[in-house]
Amino acid sequence: MTDNKPPTAEALTNGAESHGVPTTIAQQYDLLPKLIPNLDRHLTFPLLEFLSGLEGDESAEVTKAKFELLKQTNMTDYVASLWQEINDSDEVPEEFVKKREEVLQRLSLFTEETSQIDELLNDESVVSNLRSDKVANLKFLEQQHGVTIQMVDMLYDYGRFQYSCGSYANAAHLLDQFRILSTDNDKASSASWGKLAADILTTNWEVVMEEVNKVKESIDTKLFNNPLAQLDHRTWLIHWTLFPFFNYEPARDTITEMLFSPSFINTIQTNCPWILRYLAAAVITNRNRTRNTGAYQKQLKDLVRVVRQEGYEYNDPVTEFVKALHVDFDFEAAQKKLEEAEEVLKGDFFLSASADAFVEAARHLISESYCKIHQRIDIRDLSARLGLNQDEGEKWIVNLIRDTRMDGKLDYQQGTVLMNHPANSVYQQVIERTKGSFFRTSVLSAAVAK
């Protein structure tokens, strides 16, 4: 129990390893100081582990940061080992020995005091009699089994204690049991956050997404009279969802839709514009994943709009790549920013495993935009813009034309590609621009009628 250690960076990044010493550009755009205030101390530990991997041998500063981060927890053996490493000592100070004994004593006490209610909640005959009404459940358990409010609250305290010890699976189980019975909304909300963190740290991603939805619903319904609290809680939830966002494929579309919803995109723009890096990376890499091109184009359009609006507030090579390509149509700047973005992504805990996929998808976006604008394309020129040699660029363009079904013809002798861009008729353009007008008019009329 006391010798538990938080999960490593590798455990929370699908086994992706750090990419060596971070470059100056990665250090310049490091988001760690912005992320840490919005994460639980246990969730912060894997980020520090990743940082130590970037720096090769773990630096004294990172070790000290780990010690300061975890010294208030109950992981006394691991904290003591950090102290020994920092002070280059083989001896363990008395304070750690004393705290270890206290932790074990409290563990024994909690186990004894919660044994009765834990047995009841694991008894199918008891659980089958529980209903959705918590007040009725408490009354039933009190009358039939002698359960008190204090015993229920003890589950909450024990869950927090287990979490502080680094026993995340046990913490999640206890906090879930507490939520089933507790009528204290504040504690139940706190338990939901604790269970979400515990599930993240055990990489139980399916359950994590269920907890994300519960926390989101709680923010929307229970805090609707407190906009400032909603803003703060949504900010925390956005940061916590970065863990499943890039580690659990089925969560990618769900979280992307959530972040683009009005309440969450407003939170990002107001409180944490640096999240645009992760949103941009998700949208761009989604190009290779999604089959719904309409939904992808809408997400890309929304992303470009937000990046343009927030350019004065936040920018980094990832967002600047989006701006260069889709706002300024500057292909040389886009290529330069793509090279910088690759370095930044490799130095980012959440995005390091997605760096190659991002570069691949970004090259497709550059190629498509370039081919749509130009009629005759020099293969050597386009290859240079993509950071490829001429042979690689030639294969790239052939695959692009095949995959996107563009109307293009490759001239090997001239080293060019001829693109055929049939112009839309005036009638078709009018139809495209007005096809949504009837629906918008209906909505406007209904609003006026109210």
Side-chain angles (χ1 to χ4, degrees):
M1 175 64 68
T2 58
D3 60 349
N4 283 340
K5 175 184 174 181
T8 63
E10 185 177 352
L12 288 173
T13 54
N14 282 339
E17 298 178 356
S18 54
H19 295 262
V21 178
T23 59
T24 303
I25 193 75
Q27 293 172 336
Q28 180 182 348
Y29 292 100
D30 182 22
L31 290 181
L32 195 58
K34 297 182 182 295
L35 298 175
I36 287 177
N38 297 289
L39 295 174
D40 174 85
R41 68 176 68 243
H42 294 256
L43 294 176
T44 302
F45 181 84
L47 278 67
L48 294 180
E49 279 276 277
F50 180 80
L51 182 61
S52 65
L54 286 175
E55 296 179 355
D57 293 333
E58 185 168 321
S59 67
E61 288 77 11
V62 174
T63 304
K64 289 178 181 177
K66 290 180 182 179
F67 177 76
E68 291 297 324
L69 184 73
L70 298 177
K71 68 179 182 180
Q72 301 298 328
T73 70
N74 291 328
M75 290 179 280
T76 53
D77 289 352
Y78 180 64
V79 174
S81 69
L82 291 174
W83 186 93
Q84 289 175 305
E85 186 176 345
I86 293 169
N87 294 277
D88 193 21
S89 172
D90 293 330
E91 296 183 3
V92 177
E94 183 64 28
E95 61 179 296
F96 294 111
V97 176
K98 183 179 179 182
K99 185 174 181 179
R100 186 179 192 277
E101 293 175 355
E102 292 174 353
V103 168
L104 292 175
Q105 287 175 2
R106 291 187 63 195
L107 175 64
S108 177
L109 183 63
F110 272 124
T111 304
E112 182 181 344
E113 292 184 345
T114 59
S115 59
Q116 180 186 350
I117 191 169
D118 185 53
E119 289 175 5
L120 289 173
L121 293 176
N122 287 316
D123 187 337
E124 285 296 327
S125 62
V126 175
V127 174
S128 62
N129 287 311
L130 298 181
R131 301 292 181 264
S132 58
D133 187 343
K134 292 184 178 181
V135 175
N137 289 339
L138 282 174
K139 188 175 181 180
F140 163 75
L141 290 173
E142 182 179 3
Q143 292 176 347
Q144 300 296 323
H145 303 283
V147 173
T148 64
I149 295 291
Q150 289 73 24
M151 293 170 66
V152 174
D153 288 340
M154 190 63 68
L155 289 173
Y156 175 78
D157 295 335
Y158 190 21
R160 291 187 61 185
F161 179 82
Q162 289 275 16
Y163 184 80
S164 182
C165 290
S167 185
Y168 304 117
N170 290 336
H173 173 69
L174 289 163
L175 292 172
D176 190 39
Q177 287 186 327
F178 170 78
R179 286 189 311 181
I180 293 172
L181 299 176
S182 177
T183 56
D184 187 327
N185 290 332
D186 291 337
K187 278 190 174 181
S189 176
S190 177
S192 293
W193 283 99
K195 187 175 186 306
L196 173 58
D199 289 328
I200 289 172
L201 291 163
T202 54
T203 64
N204 193 354
W205 300 124
E206 289 186 17
V207 178
V208 166
M209 291 310 299
E210 294 175 6
E211 293 300 320
V212 166
N213 290 328
K214 289 178 182 178
V215 171
K216 177 178 176 293
E217 184 180 351
S218 174
I219 294 171
D220 293 340
T221 56
K222 295 180 181 178
L223 296 176
F224 67 93
N225 283 331
N226 191 342
L228 183 58
Q230 278 190 324
L231 181 67
D232 289 338
H233 282 70
R234 284 188 180 124
T235 301
W236 298 336
L237 183 59
I238 288 168
H239 285 80
W240 291 29
T241 54
L242 292 177
F243 288 92
F245 201 3
F246 295 99
N247 287 293
Y248 183 53
E249 279 293 314
R252 185 75 64 88
D253 293 335
T254 302
I255 296 177
T256 302
E257 290 176 11
M258 182 187 81
L259 295 184
F260 272 120
S261 65
S263 57
F264 279 87
I265 201 68
N266 287 341
T267 300
I268 292 172
Q269 291 180 276
T270 304
N271 239 20
C272 48
W274 51 86
I275 296 297
L276 289 176
R277 171 190 295 184
Y278 303 103
L279 194 55
V283 170
I284 290 172
T285 54
N286 273 355
R287 183 198 178 283
N288 296 331
R289 296 173 59 257
T290 184
R291 295 182 179 180
N292 189 342
T293 56
Y296 173 75
Q297 290 299 327
K298 182 181 184 305
Q299 287 181 354
L300 186 60
K301 183 178 178 181
D302 289 341
L303 174 67
V304 171
R305 173 180 57 81
V306 178
V307 166
R308 178 189 292 174
Q309 290 175 350
E310 297 302 314
Y312 72 95
E313 186 70 27
Y314 175 80
N315 59 75
D316 64 24
V318 178
T319 61
E320 287 176 342
F321 167 78
V322 175
K323 180 177 181 293
L325 184 60
H326 293 286
V327 178
D328 301 332
F329 300 101
D330 186 337
F331 294 100
E332 291 183 2
Q335 171 56 27
K336 180 181 178 183
K337 292 302 176 184
L338 178 57
E339 293 175 358
E340 295 178 358
E342 183 178 8
E343 296 179 15
V344 169
L345 265 60
K346 287 181 178 179
D348 189 296
F349 169 79
F350 295 106
L351 298 173
S352 60
S354 303
D356 293 339
F358 177 87
V359 172
E360 181 81 6
R363 283 175 175 164
H364 272 284
L365 289 176
I366 293 174
S367 305
E368 288 178 8
S369 297
Y370 196 83
C371 291
K372 287 177 182 177
I373 293 174
H374 298 83
Q375 187 169 11
R376 181 184 292 272
I377 300 167
D378 186 282
I379 295 176
R380 182 180 299 175
D381 179 60
L382 180 56
S383 299
R385 295 182 188 280
L386 296 174
L388 303 171
N389 61 44
Q390 188 166 353
D391 291 338
E392 291 173 335
E394 203 170 276
K395 293 177 183 177
W396 177 274
I397 293 168
V398 169
N399 291 333
L400 177 70
I401 293 173
R402 183 190 64 217
D403 295 342
T404 59
R405 297 181 181 178
M406 289 184 180
D407 190 356
K409 182 179 179 182
L410 195 63
D411 188 335
Y412 288 99
Q413 292 182 345
Q414 297 293 326
T416 60
V417 179
L418 293 176
M419 303 301 300
N420 181 28
H421 300 299
N424 284 340
S425 68
V426 174
Y427 303 106
Q428 187 63 35
Q429 292 181 37
V430 171
I431 291 171
E432 289 295 325
R433 290 177 179 272
T434 60
K435 64 182 180 181
S437 60
F438 175 75
F439 174 74
R440 291 194 293 271
T441 303
S442 301
V443 172
L444 184 60
S445 299
V448 171
K450 290 181 180 180

